[in-house]
Amino acid sequence: MTRVLAAVKRVADTSGEVVLTEDGQGLDGRFAGWTIGDHDACAVELAIRVAEAGDGSVTVLSVGAPEAVEQIRSALALGAGAGILVETDPSAMGPADVAAEIAAVVSGAAEAGEPYDLVVLGNDAADTGDFQVPIRLAHLVGRPIVTGARMLEVADGVLVAQVQGPYGDETYELPLPAVAAVLEGGAEPRYPSLRGRMAAKKVEIDVRAPAGSPSGSGRVRWHVPPAASGEAEVLGEGPAAAPAVVEVLERLGVLR
């Protein structure tokens, strides 16, 4: 039985226009909506697959605002069985703070005699782009970590992770308990069923206070770069445009 903890972050939907908050410290999701990032979505999917294969369980954890319950319930609707919210002001939390809060949950579970065999997170945050929390967490709890994972399996107390390397797929084996940071693209996240949505509404979320005081990210301010300018030239229409297209391709070095 594999006990998996999947950590997700409530972030503004970045599929549309990116709008910053007035203080430049985050993304404004009031008009774009809130979700979890693609890496987190794949992490939840792989966590559920690992649990299903090992007759285990998945607990979803989020460190953030009270509204993050919405993202926890979304994961519950997919197949997770329990949810934990460490309720805090996300704008005051840096990567080290988030890692410390997740580590406190992991350590608390171990002390209670119900340790998590595997902690799964998105490889990096969809809103800040920080690629720190998984590595900081692994260091704090003293567990091995694999990053950039696209597929995960657990067998005989060993985590097998597939990672896309520069020359092809690479396979890593880590002893459990372990931490895995997941990239999008390896597993297609499932959609929740109506039955799953209804069941998720009935799950009581374990809401906790932060274990420590945040130190912040040290970030001064973000800015959105101006849109890149571009020009379009119509080379012609139909077969008559062929000579002009060839000329452009030769100029670019595509044709010689």
Side-chain angles (χ1 to χ4, degrees):
M1 179 176 177
T2 307
R3 285 173 47 83
V4 186
L5 179 68
V8 300
K9 183 179 183 182
R10 174 183 168 89
V11 298
D13 188 346
T14 56
S15 60
E17 182 182 4
V18 174
V19 179
L20 300 182
T21 55
E22 292 184 0
D23 62 1
Q25 292 293 315
L27 300 184
D28 191 338
R30 289 177 299 170
F31 310 107
W34 299 92
T35 184
I36 64 173
D38 292 336
H39 298 326
D40 283 7
C42 288
V44 171
E45 174 62 29
L46 292 183
I48 294 173
R49 291 188 187 188
V50 167
E52 289 176 340
D55 193 24
S57 62
V58 177
T59 298
V60 181
L61 165 68
S62 190
V63 179
E67 293 80 5
V69 166
E70 178 185 345
Q71 280 64 50
I72 294 175
R73 293 204 184 279
S74 295
L76 290 171
L78 298 174
I84 299 174
L85 171 64
V86 178
E87 190 174 305
T88 184
D89 177 6
S91 65
M93 306 290 284
D97 303 316
V98 175
E101 294 300 335
I102 299 174
V105 172
V106 173
S107 299
E111 293 171 359
E114 298 180 339
Y116 294 107
D117 302 297
L118 177 64
V119 183
V120 184
L121 310 89
N123 206 68
D124 49 76
D127 52 353
T128 62
D130 292 323
F131 174 38
Q132 300 185 37
V133 172
I135 295 174
R136 288 181 179 275
L137 169 64
H139 175 73
L140 288 172
V141 297
R143 295 185 178 188
I145 181 172
V146 59
T147 62
R150 292 176 177 268
M151 294 298 292
L152 300 173
E153 293 180 354
V154 169
D156 299 327
V158 175
L159 172 67
V160 180
Q162 300 291 334
V163 176
Q164 185 176 24
Y167 306 108
D169 290 340
E170 301 172 352
T171 301
Y172 293 85
E173 295 184 351
L174 287 76
L176 295 179
V179 177
V182 175
L183 274 177
E184 65 172 308
E188 183 70 23
R190 67 191 69 187
Y191 290 98
S193 64
L194 178 59
R195 183 177 182 182
R197 290 180 185 274
M198 298 302 292
K201 293 181 179 179
K202 300 178 181 178
V203 177
E204 184 175 350
I205 307 298
D206 180 1
V207 180
R208 304 181 183 183
S213 300
S215 57
S217 65
R219 181 179 297 112
V220 177
R221 189 179 180 85
W222 283 347
H223 74 277
V224 179
S229 61
E231 296 182 357
E233 178 184 356
V234 178
L235 299 177
E237 295 183 1
V245 173
V246 171
E247 181 183 349
V248 171
L249 295 177
E250 288 178 340
R251 192 190 318 154
L252 295 174
V254 178
L255 296 178
R256 298 182 185 279

